[in-house]
């Protein structure tokens, strides 16, 4: 069976907080035998390397003060619109600092409280039923949550309407060629099935959501903080492409957690082209 192709985009040399080399092995492990992977910190690869043969871009970019160029942002938008998958892992949402990309990611990072143990719960699960590593959360919140691998390392605020204008360039796609809701829902059920409650020490990222291009955001996983629920994994689409944003991933230890490895593999398979 032919492996899918994935590019892992992050920063080795100028990462202020999250150098890719510290978690690279864990990302490659999660993609398993399904993907052949290449890693790069060269943003020009977004213009030259996102060919139709690439099925998935994994962003672990640590670029909070430096945005992509307009040409690089447009290349990423065209890649997703044409059917390529985008998986944003932890700091990977820093690419949403480019105003043309904020709606593509569905939101932007705002801040995070201190690194600490967090309880993760899937959407639709009964929180009071779970015990995490011997720590009972009964009564903390009421009700239900409503919402051998080939690998190569390569060298080195707009509104959704404004984003749509930026994306309305010729792509060869008719409007009816967007990801069908039936196909999306069918595969989304597999991603949902991969999610389970777990406890993990993490940075509790806080996000500001914006309207997503096709209005189909699904929050599938939450974490709890001081009695409140916060999104930890959400999906959405643009054109023929699929996007998934994953909050955990601050350390290699986070990504080594079996539940995180499982959700990361399922998210990659959901987002990838085809």
């Amino acid at each position: 069976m032919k492996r899918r192709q994935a590019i892992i985009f992050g920063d080795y040399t100028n990462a202020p907080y999250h150098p890719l080399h510290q978690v690279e092995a864990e990302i490659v492990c999660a993609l398993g035998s399904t993907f052949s992977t290449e890693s790069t910190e060269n943003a020009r690869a977004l213009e030259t390397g996102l060919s139709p043969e690439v099925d998935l871009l994994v962003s672990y970019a640590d670029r909070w003060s430096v945005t992509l160029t307009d040409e690089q942002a447009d290349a990423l938008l065209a890649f997703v619109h044409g059917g390529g998958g985008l998986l944003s892992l932890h700091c990977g949402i820093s690419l949403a600092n480019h105003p043309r990309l904020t709606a593509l990611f569905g939101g932007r990072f705002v801040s995070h409280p201190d690194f600490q143990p967090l309880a993760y719960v899937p959407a639709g699960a009964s929180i009071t039923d779970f015990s995490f590593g011997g720590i009972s959360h009964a009564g903390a919140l009421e009700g239900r949550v409503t919402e051998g691998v080939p690998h190569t390392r390569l060298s080195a605020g707009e509104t959704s309407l404004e984003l749509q204008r930026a994306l309305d360039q010729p792509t060869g796609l008719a409007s009816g060629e967007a990801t069908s809701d039936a196909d999306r829902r069918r595969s989304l059920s597999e991603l949902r099935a991969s999610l389970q409650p777990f406890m993990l020490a993490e940075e509790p990222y806080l996000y500001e959501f914006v309207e997503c291009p096709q209005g189909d955001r699904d929050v599938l996983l939450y974490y709890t903080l001081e009695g409140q629920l916060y999104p930890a994994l959400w999906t959405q689409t643009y054109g023929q492409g699929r996007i998934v944003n994953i909050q955990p991933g601050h350390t290699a230890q986070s990504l080594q957690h079996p539940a995180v490895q499982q959700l990361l593999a399922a998210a990659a398979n959901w987002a990838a082209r085809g």
Side-chain angles (χ1 to χ4, degrees):
M1 179 178 176
K2 183 179 179 181
R3 290 185 175 93
R4 290 163 147 179
Q5 302 298 312
I7 292 178
I8 303 170
F9 177 56
D11 296 280
Y12 297 111
T13 54
N14 295 310
Y17 308 109
H18 305 94
L20 178 58
H21 67 83
Q22 292 186 355
V23 299
E24 187 173 5
E26 284 70 28
I27 297 173
V28 173
C29 180
L31 299 187
S33 59
T34 306
F35 292 88
S36 294
T37 60
E38 296 178 345
S39 296
T40 184
E41 65 175 2
N42 188 348
R44 291 193 298 273
L46 300 181
E47 298 179 68
T48 62
L50 294 180
S51 69
E53 286 70 42
V54 176
D55 302 300
L56 179 70
L57 176 71
V58 178
S59 173
Y60 197 75
D62 197 22
R63 302 191 174 207
W64 303 103
S65 59
V66 178
T67 62
L68 299 179
T69 66
D70 290 348
E71 292 76 16
Q72 292 159 358
D74 288 344
L76 178 54
L77 294 169
F79 170 72
V80 176
H81 192 273
L86 172 61
L87 190 159
S88 172
L89 180 62
H90 195 60
C91 56
I93 200 171
S94 64
L95 296 186
N97 288 348
H98 193 294
R100 297 189 188 181
L101 297 178
T102 306
L104 184 71
F105 282 79
R108 60 177 66 85
F109 167 84
V110 176
S111 64
H112 70 77
D114 292 340
F115 185 85
Q116 61 188 283
L118 300 175
Y120 290 81
V121 289
S126 177
I127 301 171
T128 56
D129 292 343
F130 297 136
S131 179
F132 301 86
I135 303 174
S136 175
H137 287 259
L141 292 166
E142 296 300 326
R144 292 179 176 270
V145 181
T146 54
E147 290 282 321
V149 182
H151 178 69
T152 305
R153 178 179 296 179
L154 303 181
S155 59
E158 290 188 7
T159 66
S160 60
L161 177 60
E162 290 168 327
L163 173 65
Q164 188 64 49
R165 290 179 181 142
L167 296 180
D168 278 341
Q169 305 295 327
T171 62
L173 296 175
S175 59
E177 291 184 84
T179 303
S180 75
D181 187 64
D183 289 344
R184 179 177 175 275
R185 291 291 170 181
R186 182 165 53 251
S187 59
L188 196 59
S189 66
E190 299 174 3
L191 176 53
R192 288 182 186 275
S194 75
L195 303 177
Q196 56 184 286
F198 60 96
M199 193 84 179
L200 186 67
E202 256 299 345
E203 287 181 324
Y205 270 26
L206 304 177
Y207 306 99
E208 178 186 16
F209 277 168
V210 298
E211 184 180 354
C212 53
Q214 294 177 181
D216 58 356
R217 175 168 46 233
D218 281 305
V219 180
L220 304 185
L221 184 72
Y222 293 83
Y223 68 84
T224 67
L225 179 67
E226 298 179 351
Q228 300 294 320
L229 294 170
Y230 295 89
L233 185 153
W234 70 89
T235 66
Q236 58 189 63
T237 66
Y238 178 71
Q240 289 187 322
R242 299 172 176 180
I243 305 102
V244 59
N245 290 271
I246 298 173
Q247 172 264 334
H250 179 58
T251 65
Q253 289 73 23
S254 293
L255 294 177
Q256 289 166 6
H257 192 292
V260 177
Q261 282 279 302
Q262 180 171 294
L263 72 84
L264 183 54
N269 284 321
W270 176 82
R273 188 192 307 272

